[in-house]
Amino acid sequence: MQLPGEPPVKIRRLQTDVPASFAERMFGDWYARSGEVVTRFDRVQGEGVITADGKLLCLPVGLTPGANMSCGEPDGNQWRSHYSTYLPDMGRSGPFLRLRDRFGNATGLGAPD
């Protein structure tokens, strides 16, 4: 977009809506405190979301605001590690902190400490 007398600037779509599905709500980059790593949920697996490397899977336990979800490292039909938490509210929940939304826009939280 270019305004009169100014150089062109790129416009980025911001996530201002409430995502329609669990996957859309979780897609993006997250800082996972449990492993102290930045991870990206970018694939749907069943009713949940999984990282590209398959090391972290999160499943909804209900789709109402504040409902629980289960996350862990899958190992076939079992969990290698597993914990229950709450769906992130405003980009935060116990073990997660959102760094980028599903469109790749930074959330303004900065680099994790």
Side-chain angles (χ1 to χ4, degrees), residues 2-3 33 39 43-45 64 71 76 87 100 110 112:
Q2 185 173 6
L3 297 174
R33 292 183 189 139
T39 191
R43 294 187 302 149
V44 173
Q45 181 169 318
T64 58
C71 297
L87 287 167
R100 294 192 177 273

Side-chain angles (χ1 to χ4, degrees), residues 21-23 25-26 45-49 57-72 79 82-88:
S21 70
F22 177 77
R25 189 171 181 176
M26 292 300 295
Q45 181 169 318
E47 294 181 14
V49 292
L57 168 68
C58 289
L59 301 165
V61 182
L63 294 177
T64 58
N68 287 334
M69 68 178 182
S70 293
C71 297
W79 293 101
H82 179 263
Y83 53 92
S84 294
T85 187
Y86 289 96
L87 287 167

Side-chain angles (χ1 to χ4, degrees), residues 18-31:
V18 176
S21 70
F22 177 77
E24 288 180 357
R25 189 171 181 176
M26 292 300 295
F27 280 165
D29 294 348
W30 295 84
Y31 173 69

